[in-house]
Amino acid sequence: AVLRGGGVCFDEAQRWAWTMVRYGDGVMDEPVWAQMGFRLVFYVASIAVSLAFFAVVPVGTRWYSAYGSRTMYAYLLHLMVIRSYELCRDGTSLGSSMPLWVKALVSLVALPAVTSLGLMSGRCKAVFSWVVEPNVGWLLFPDDYPQARVGST
């Protein structure tokens, strides 16, 4: 998808750069050496952005480190909260009575913030740790758990 100014659409450039498409397949209307150069520049820029991200990751422990260690809880459990909100909104007249800006504020700002902080809290970890981090060591390493052996007394 060539744009009016002669550039290539970003999505098309990403698909071209990250897939194993042969050079000169007609996706980009450039010579093969230019396509190779574009891909090389794209890879170098991706590495530079990754290194910049790693440079801003904090090394020490901060107040939010405990929340960051529980992101799997938010990732795995957020769908229940979102579906509950949608059922409440759509099942009642709440959704039709709210103005668009209130729907956007609730759906795009308030609900994600409250859901993330709530699902990454210590209380949520205490309640749902058996679901998110099950102890299946007896299944994976039966020699280390003799009481779990079948037929043992």
Side-chain angles (χ1 to χ4, degrees):
V2 178
L3 301 177
R4 278 188 210 167
V8 176
C9 178
F10 182 73
D11 292 336
E12 186 69 25
Q14 268 195 328
R15 187 197 67 76
W16 171 81
W18 293 117
T19 58
M20 294 298 166
V21 178
R22 294 179 324 220
Y23 296 108
D25 66 342
V27 173
M28 294 180 68
D29 298 328
E30 301 290 338
V32 173
W33 62 269
Q35 292 184 28
M36 290 171 49
F38 289 147
R39 190 171 289 191
L40 184 64
V41 167
F42 191 80
Y43 289 155
V44 170
S46 298
I47 291 170
V49 169
S50 299
L51 292 175
F53 173 75
F54 294 142
V56 298
V57 172
V59 177
T61 303
R62 305 277 193 260
W63 65 269
Y64 49 83
S65 296
Y67 285 104
S69 67
R70 295 188 289 258
T71 54
M72 187 60 74
Y73 288 84
Y75 177 72
L76 292 176
L77 301 174
H78 79 279
L79 191 59
M80 293 187 301
V81 176
I82 300 299
R83 293 291 186 216
S84 301
Y85 168 69
E86 288 177 350
L87 285 173
C88 289
R89 186 193 64 202
D90 297 340
T92 63
S93 62
L94 181 66
S96 60
S97 64
M98 286 193 298
L100 182 61
W101 68 271
V102 174
K103 287 181 189 177
L105 186 66
V106 169
S107 298
L108 301 175
V109 178
L111 188 65
V114 170
T115 301
S116 298
L117 289 175
L119 292 177
M120 290 189 289
S121 67
R123 188 169 292 169
C124 182
K125 182 178 181 178
V127 173
F128 291 108
S129 62
W130 64 275
V131 174
V132 178
E133 301 177 79
N135 185 9
V136 292
W138 59 271
L139 185 61
L140 299 173
F141 308 105
D143 296 336
D144 296 339
Y145 295 87
Q147 70 275 11
R149 288 187 189 155
V150 176
S152 64
T153 56

